[in-house]
Amino acid sequence: MDSAQEDASSTDVFLVTANVGSLFEDPERLLQLWLSEFLAKIAVAQPRFLALHLQEVGGKTYEKSMEYVQEFIRCLCDAPEMGDFTCVHIFMDEDFKSAEHFTALGSLYFVHKDVASLKIWNFLTHSWEESLQDVKDKHIYSGNIETIATKEKSKFPQHFFPECKWSRKGFMRTRWEINGTVIDLVNIHLFHDASNLAACENFPSVYCKTRRRALVHTIERFHLDEQNGTVPFFLFGDFNFRCDTEGVVKELTENLTPHRVQNVKNENDKIHYRNSTGNNVLTVGKKEFSHADHQLKFKEDWLKKFDRELEPLKDVLVEYPIKFVPSYPFEEDPEMPTDYMSTRCPAWCDRILMSPQVNEIIESDDWTYGMIGEAVCMGDHKALRIPQLYRSYRRAWRTW
């Protein structure tokens, strides 16, 4: 890797990640709400390159949701706000019958007509495809996309999965040269916490360790890829990062008394933490995490110190300061857009991370890292974005 060019053209880039699974569980109420809020942000930002990374496309029952996925793409591509994006590349992993490959990831890229120079990488020939700027068309790859060479996609090895039960977790990478500067854009979905009770036993929890293992596996794969080389990368998706649940419970239950309620099958075990008058303040069950002041407590600044999953990787992954409330789990009811469900401890699951080398290709500090749809129901996850990240490039890279 050598520097190839100085003072490349300015390019405004808009990066977005969104877990959209719940949109397809209730498409009639949520799909248009999500699209309207997203498109309103695009209209204001007016980026020249838009990257939208989606996870859980199609929801839990993809075979029943395919028509809504197609409608989602059509509405997005045909929206007036997207009219000046003349080059479109969409990669939708829809082969739900393939347990070995299916990730339910969707990576959507929209390039404005004003972008002077654009290339996309071919991961099979290990070279650039022809310039796309003259191709005024949409390239939508859906269904089984295993043979599409302009993306690299991988499901995590089965032994990585908790209890070795395969689910739709993996990553998808594309590489772009935008006005002379090369970046990798990686969509990722990591494992969730199956049980709050197990998660609060210690930190790092068994789930945290599994996520970290998969994340390190992904980064090492990029670094060891001699054929494609390494370039600065953005890694954005649903990392399922959770707060240090053990620490959160200790913080919330000081001076409270625990009372365990056991079920014969151990499926509905709960711990009630009560105050001196016998009132429940906090209840923790396998899929319950409920505080007496649930809607306010987890939006306060104290929770941020328990966001610790990235600490061991701070030398290899960089993130802008988080100044927004946890992105998950929000109510899926349009009448309750700012309320959290009482199923999990609210956490910053959805993130936009980058390699340290990204700092070498960014001149401007004019960035905003935050949510889309703060006051609108976007499903159980709020979308995250970094708009207009690149004002100008200081250095361009090429791959050898």
Side-chain angles (χ1 to χ4, degrees), residues 20 36 42 44 70 92 98 133 138-139 170 208 221 269 319 323 332 334:
V20 292
S36 296
I42 299 304
V44 172
Q70 294 166 3
M92 304 294 288
S98 173
Q133 192 54 37
K138 298 180 178 66
H139 303 266
C208 173
R221 176 168 170 158
D269 285 6
E319 184 177 28
K323 299 180 180 179
E332 298 166 334

Side-chain angles (χ1 to χ4, degrees), residues 6-22:
E6 298 293 332
D7 298 321
S9 302
S10 300
T11 307
D12 289 344
V13 175
F14 198 98
L15 308 180
V16 181
T17 180
N19 183 315
V20 292
S22 57

Side-chain angles (χ1 to χ4, degrees), residues 11-14 38-39 42 47-54 72-79 81-91 107-113 115 118 133 137-140 176 178 185:
T11 307
D12 289 344
V13 175
F14 198 98
F38 173 77
L39 291 169
I42 299 304
R48 293 305 180 256
F49 186 96
L50 166 62
L52 172 59
H53 284 179
L54 305 177
F72 177 88
I73 295 173
R74 181 187 59 78
C75 290
L76 189 59
C77 292
D78 293 348
E81 295 88 343
M82 307 297 284
D84 287 335
F85 293 100
T86 53
C87 182
V88 178
H89 273 246
I90 295 177
F91 305 87
S107 296
L108 298 78
Y109 305 100
F110 301 85
V111 188
H112 196 275
K113 63 183 181 182
V115 172
L118 181 73
Q133 192 54 37
D137 201 0
K138 298 180 178 66
H139 303 266
I140 301 177
W176 301 85
I178 309 166
L185 300 176

